[in-house]
Amino acid sequence: MSDAEAFPYRDPRLAIDERVRDLLARMTLEEKLAQLGGVWGLSLTDAGRFSETKAKDLLRHGIGHIARLAGASVLTPRESASLANVLQRFLRESTRLGIPAIVHEESCAGYSARAATCFPQVIGIASTWEPQLVEEMARVIRSQMRAVGAHQALAPVLDVARDPRWGRTEETFGEDPYLVARMGTAYVRGLQGDSLRSGIVGTGKHFVGYGAPEGGLNWAPAPLPRRELLERFVPPFAAAIHEAGLASVMNAYHEIDGVPCGASRELLDGLLRTQLGFDGVVVSDYFTLQTLVSYHHVAENESEAARRGLEAGIDLELPVLAYYGEPLRQAIESGRVPLAWVDRSVARVLRMKFELGLFEQALVDADAAPAHFDTPTQRELARRIALKSIVLLQNRGELLPLDPGLGRIAVIGPCADSARLMQGDYHYPTHLEVLSKTGPPGAADELTLDELFVPMVTVLDGIRAAVTDGCEVHSARGCEILTDSTRDFEEAVELARGADVAIVVVGGRSGLVEGCTSGEFCDRAELGLFGVQTELVLAVVATGTPTVVVLINGRPLALSRLVDDVPALLEAWLPGEEGGHAIADVLFGRSSPAGRLPVTLPRAVGQLPLYYNHKPSGARSPLHGDYVDLSTQPLFPFGHGLSYTHFEYKDLQLGARELPATGTLEISLDVTNAGERAGEEVVQLYVRDRVASLTRPVKELKGFLRLGLEPGETRTAVFELDLGQLAFYDADMVFLVEPGTVEIMLGSSSEAIWLRGEIEITGPPRRLRSIDVAPTRVRVR
């Protein structure tokens, strides 16, 4: 009898459901529980080498996941691939059933591992308003992760960020559900590909409403009414599930209306699975079950926390098997947890392993792995994304672009020549900082963090490479990010005084440890520049030297103190390994900037929450409009961004003036580059329901297109708007499109609207499911 005949689950010719049933029927309770958790990869090693003794202890019943084999270590691609092979061989040959493990890693803005390409942080990627670039980046992540034997990425972040004080804003695609949905879906599509057998499992996180915490504080309750939750925070998940087949979802840490998301059957089972039709694996955010006991205080002990998590719908505990181990076994034996709950989640985990093809091919060619890492083509993509992410906020007097043949340039500021500050909180060396202090064994060794960077191009590097031979480039830090010392001001000011132009590079430090100003657990009460950076900028401006400010940061800042004094202001976010070249390309006019804000920039924290798609009664005082002491208007609106050329919008054409609620509206307009430089425009489509049965936002983004045009060139942008995009939950919580008048707006930001029209939706209301809403199709002719 062949192996496949004796053990049908090993027969690849059988249907996956049949293989799952066969394998599940053969498993002991201990083997089932082992599939519901993970183990730190390096806890299976001694001094970086595989430990059979530890493996026999920790993997004796198998395991569901291996956590961060490369991301929580200093292993090279070849080393991490070799270790992954050893672990998979051990599971295949030294456990009773030979069930392979899923290796999961982080990949927020590139695979978070040694030697992997360091792309711009996600808030910058969102500023490109170009989903195709996200998909290209995700394909690189897929290639690198598959090369080392990894299978699941704990990304993308699909949170809609509504409070910039929240440190994790930088990990998101911004404040608008439509933009987040388009970018996030593209990420999943690039990562998972056409089949998980050749792809990487994407993990949409954090379900749900995580981006609107009280006070901007991470893990704080999100005071979200049900309608607001469904209309603003759920759509990106719905889109990723139904358009790209999102295979995994991760719960959020916070609570909504008294129930932690990790213990909410209403969210994880009712909303996610029943309403959205998700059929993949729900993984816990790290240590979620522990928070039910020690943070939220809704479970008395580990066993009760395990019961609540499993009942709610968390299939797999990350990063390590703890509460789903012995505590869950006790709950089962006492009758408090039905075995059917365990079988349900184990079946989901096994199904994913079969879909990935791990029973047939769990090993990789370790010697071939390095060839997939940070290739010239990948670095070119990192530079292209960084270039397209840069937002020109202000350019008075057309100071930019600069002449690369200037005689003397002063490059000033704490962010001007720092590779570390170009990275976000989930880039590899940045994340290794916290892992080296509190993470798994082996996360830190004799290598320093500086040695673990891929080659990084700082702003100063980029400027020096861009200018002509006769241009002198001089640099001074001027100050540090966090300290209040001004002792180095004098050197910087003197440097600026003798220069033709001063480029001041300021911002923050993204990360997770003390001393960071942005990132996970690094929430803020104020949104200005830290330390004395603002004073440094103003001191340089006071010299009379033309001054450009470049912002390197992961958070939307309130820059009211600078906008009146600084002629040119450039937002470069956290631009990654090629950021210096990209910034120089914009500064010296090699490329015209076309990034657009994916968030609203406030004037001051006192305006928060502040986002463009507010309700009619929001963002204003009913009598006077403004606050007594401040305008209610943003400093820079959502969608804003300038160019070195200018564009004209004309000839708006609507395919119909009346349509039934089931219809699709074709919208077209001509866009002309009316300037003397080539450039790209981001055409933005907004809609407004003039009168509805419930209050509706003053405008909502429903389509966008990044369009490149030569000087004098005119192209026609076409949008096909499914009127399902206008649906909302009525007073009875029925999702529908109402008849009535809808305003159609086209412009270059949420405030710069250049063309308007309107249509009448006729006939009876259209009832539909939220998952049936089609994205707006765009094309150019």
Side-chain angles (χ1 to χ4, degrees):
M1 182 181 291
S2 69
D3 186 64
E5 291 173 321
F7 303 97
Y9 72 89
R10 296 179 182 172
D11 187 349
R13 297 169 300 177
L14 297 180
I16 287 179
D17 284 345
E18 188 174 348
R19 298 176 76 183
V20 170
R21 283 194 299 270
D22 178 70
L23 179 52
L24 190 62
R26 298 172 185 274
M27 298 173 74
T28 66
L29 178 58
E30 288 77 11
E31 288 167 335
K32 291 177 179 179
L33 296 182
Q35 292 300 310
L36 299 185
V39 60
W40 282 113
L42 292 189
S43 66
L44 301 166
T45 65
D46 270 326
R49 298 186 177 215
F50 172 70
S51 169
E52 187 169 356
T53 300
K54 291 182 177 180
K56 286 181 177 178
D57 176 35
L58 296 172
L59 302 181
R60 62 188 182 278
H61 299 303
I63 200 69
H65 274 223
I66 295 173
R68 306 207 61 191
L69 200 58
S73 74
V74 293
L75 298 176
T76 65
R78 181 181 283 105
E79 292 167 342
S80 63
S82 297
L83 182 54
N85 285 344
V86 171
L87 294 175
Q88 298 288 16
R89 285 194 191 98
F90 179 89
L91 288 167
R92 183 180 64 193
E93 299 169 4
S94 300
T95 62
R96 190 176 73 90
L97 296 171
I99 303 173
I102 291 174
V103 177
H104 75 251
E105 299 279 4
E106 297 284 0
S107 68
C108 183
Y111 177 26
S112 181
R114 188 173 178 183
T117 307
C118 177
F119 291 100
Q121 180 65 304
V122 172
I123 192 72
I125 297 171
S127 300
T128 69
W129 290 58
E130 192 165 350
Q132 178 59 34
L133 289 176
V134 184
E135 189 168 342
E136 289 184 48
M137 179 190 76
R139 286 200 293 266
V140 172
I141 295 168
R142 185 208 314 175
S143 171
Q144 294 178 346
M145 288 184 66
R146 287 192 63 84
V148 297
H151 316 105
Q152 181 162 352
L154 303 186
V157 173
L158 298 176
D159 299 317
V160 175
R162 283 298 180 92
D163 194 325
R165 293 174 298 178
W166 183 46
R168 303 194 76 171
T169 297
E170 67 177 60
E171 300 172 40
T172 77
F173 291 110
E175 73 180 41
D176 179 75
Y178 188 83
L179 180 61
V180 175
R182 295 300 95 228
M183 303 299 269
T185 298
Y187 186 109
V188 176
R189 190 177 290 116
L191 192 68
Q192 294 189 173
D194 296 328
S195 167
L196 290 186
R197 280 186 171 265
S198 59
I200 294 293
V201 172
T203 309
K205 62 186 190 184
H206 307 82
F207 200 79
V208 62
Y210 193 38
E214 289 181 348
L217 291 167
N218 200 33
W219 294 21
L224 294 173
R226 180 76 173 178
R227 184 175 288 103
E228 179 77 1
L229 181 76
L230 293 174
E231 292 182 355
R232 295 288 169 257
F233 296 88
V234 170
F237 290 91
I241 291 166
H242 285 275
E243 295 177 42
L246 178 65
S248 184
V249 166
M250 176 182 283
N251 70 277
Y253 285 117
H254 69 293
E255 67 164 83
I256 298 176
D257 198 22
V259 182
C261 295
S264 177
R265 185 169 55 181
E266 179 185 7
L267 290 179
L268 299 180
D269 187 43
L271 176 55
L272 179 62
R273 292 198 182 275
T274 302
Q275 190 168 333
L276 299 186
F278 176 72
D279 64 357
V281 175
V282 175
V283 300
S284 78
D285 206 340
Y286 278 19
F287 309 108
T288 286
L289 300 178
Q290 179 181 323
T291 69
L292 302 183
V293 177
S294 61
Y295 194 79
H296 292 295
H297 305 290
V298 296
E300 187 174 1
N301 52 44
E302 297 176 357
S303 186
E304 174 62 12
R307 185 196 70 78
R308 293 203 62 172
L310 193 63
E311 180 183 25
I314 292 180
D315 297 311
L316 193 137
E317 178 185 13
L318 297 182
V320 297
L321 182 67
Y323 286 40
Y324 276 2
E326 179 61 20
L328 180 55
R329 187 185 66 79
Q330 292 174 6
I332 295 167
E333 293 178 348
S334 68
R336 289 177 291 129
V337 171
L339 188 58
W341 293 359
V342 175
D343 287 350
R344 175 191 63 192
S345 290
V346 173
R348 290 169 181 161
V349 174
L350 295 177
R351 165 173 282 279
M352 180 170 285
K353 293 184 177 185
F354 284 119
E355 289 174 340
L356 285 163
L358 297 184
F359 286 82
E360 290 72 59
Q361 186 59 53
L363 306 184
V364 296
D365 183 348
D367 289 335
H372 293 263
F373 280 74
D374 207 31
T375 65
T377 299
Q378 292 166 356
R379 291 194 71 93
E380 187 280 328
L381 177 60
R383 180 170 179 168
R384 184 154 43 100
I385 294 175
L387 175 63
K388 293 197 172 196
S389 73
I390 295 170
V391 182
L392 180 58
L393 296 173
Q394 185 164 283
N395 191 24
R396 286 204 307 269
E398 297 187 350
L399 174 59
L400 293 178
L402 302 174
D403 181 353
L406 289 169
R408 188 179 177 90
I409 297 175
V411 183
I412 294 165
C415 302
D417 195 28
S418 171
R420 167 63 180 82
L421 299 182
M422 306 287 277
Q423 303 197 30
D425 67 338
Y426 270 71
H427 283 121
Y428 171 66
T430 307
H431 212 232
L432 202 63
E433 289 175 345
V434 69
L435 292 170
S436 67
K437 293 183 179 182
T438 62
D445 67 3
E446 69 278 1
L447 292 176
T448 67
L449 287 174
D450 286 345
E451 293 175 284
L452 299 175
F453 286 96
V454 290
M456 299 285 295
V457 182
T458 70
V459 181
L460 181 61
D461 292 335
I463 290 171
R464 284 179 168 157
V467 298
T468 60
D469 291 341
C471 179
E472 297 181 19
V473 177
H474 300 275
S475 178
R477 290 183 64 83
C479 68
E480 302 300 325
I481 288 174
L482 288 170
T483 67
D484 292 330
S485 173
T486 61
R487 66 183 181 185
D488 295 327
F489 270 29
E490 185 176 347
E491 177 191 8
V493 167
E494 285 303 310
L495 207 62
R497 189 172 282 118
D500 296 305
V501 67
I503 301 170
V504 188
V505 191
V506 291
R509 179 186 178 95
S510 175
L512 294 87
V513 299
E514 271 191 65
C516 292
T517 65
S518 181
E520 188 172 6
F521 304 113
C522 297
D523 310 312
R524 291 193 54 183
E526 299 292 341
L527 291 176
L529 289 166
F530 263 107
V532 291
Q533 293 183 92
T534 297
E535 287 72 18
L536 174 65
V537 172
L538 295 177
V540 170
V541 170
T543 65
T545 300
T547 302
V548 180
V549 170
V550 178
L551 298 164
I552 306 291
N553 68 291
R555 188 192 303 276
L557 296 176
L559 301 165
S560 297
R561 291 186 60 194
L562 295 181
V563 294
D564 290 336
D565 296 287
V566 175
L569 192 58
L570 211 63
E571 176 61 85
W573 305 110
L574 298 160
E577 65 182 41
E578 285 288 319
H581 284 321
I583 291 167
D585 286 343
V586 170
L587 288 173
F588 295 103
R590 291 178 175 173
S591 180
S592 178
R596 300 293 184 263
L597 290 176
V599 287
T600 301
L601 266 58
R603 296 175 184 274
V605 169
Q607 291 178 294
L608 299 180
L610 183 68
Y611 40 85
Y612 86 94
N613 50 357
H614 57 80
K615 295 296 185 69
S617 59
R620 65 187 176 92
S621 172
L623 183 58
H624 299 295
D626 290 335
Y627 295 100
V628 171
D629 54 348
L630 188 71
S631 169
T632 55
Q633 296 303 304
L635 189 65
F636 295 106
F638 174 83
H640 171 74
L642 304 177
S643 173
Y644 292 156
T645 184
H646 64 280
F647 300 90
E648 293 178 352
Y649 288 53
K650 58 186 178 181
D651 197 20
L652 173 63
Q653 299 289 326
L654 301 180
R657 295 296 175 177
E658 292 186 357
L659 276 175
T662 55
T664 297
L665 176 67
E666 182 173 289
I667 304 162
S668 66
L669 70 154
D670 289 343
V671 182
T672 301
N673 181 347
E676 298 178 355
R677 290 175 175 267
E680 294 180 316
E681 173 70 322
V682 178
V683 184
Q684 301 166 39
L685 166 65
Y686 296 91
V687 301
R688 178 193 172 201
D689 193 338
R690 285 191 178 276
V691 179
S693 60
L694 297 178
T695 62
R696 303 298 301 140
V698 295
K699 58 174 70 77
E700 297 178 277
L701 180 73
K702 294 300 180 184
F704 57 89
L705 173 65
R706 185 159 177 154
L707 179 64
L709 295 169
E710 294 297 319
E713 183 181 12
T714 298
R715 300 292 299 275
T716 300
V718 181
F719 298 84
E720 295 179 16
L721 174 69
D722 174 4
L723 295 187
Q725 287 284 347
L726 304 174
F728 63 94
Y729 289 87
D730 72 0
D732 297 318
M733 294 303 291
V734 176
F735 194 63
L736 52 75
V737 181
E738 287 186 341
T741 304
V742 175
E743 186 176 8
I744 306 297
M745 297 168 275
L746 283 303
S748 53
S749 81
S750 58
E751 293 297 321
I753 302 297
W754 307 119
L755 296 174
R756 297 175 186 267
E758 63 179 41
I759 64 164
E760 192 75 18
I761 299 177
T762 61
R766 170 191 175 188
R767 294 191 178 198
L768 68 164
R769 301 176 303 170
S770 61
I771 58 177
D772 294 331
V773 177
T776 300
R777 297 171 60 185
V778 297
R779 67 180 190 274
V780 180
R781 65 172 189 240

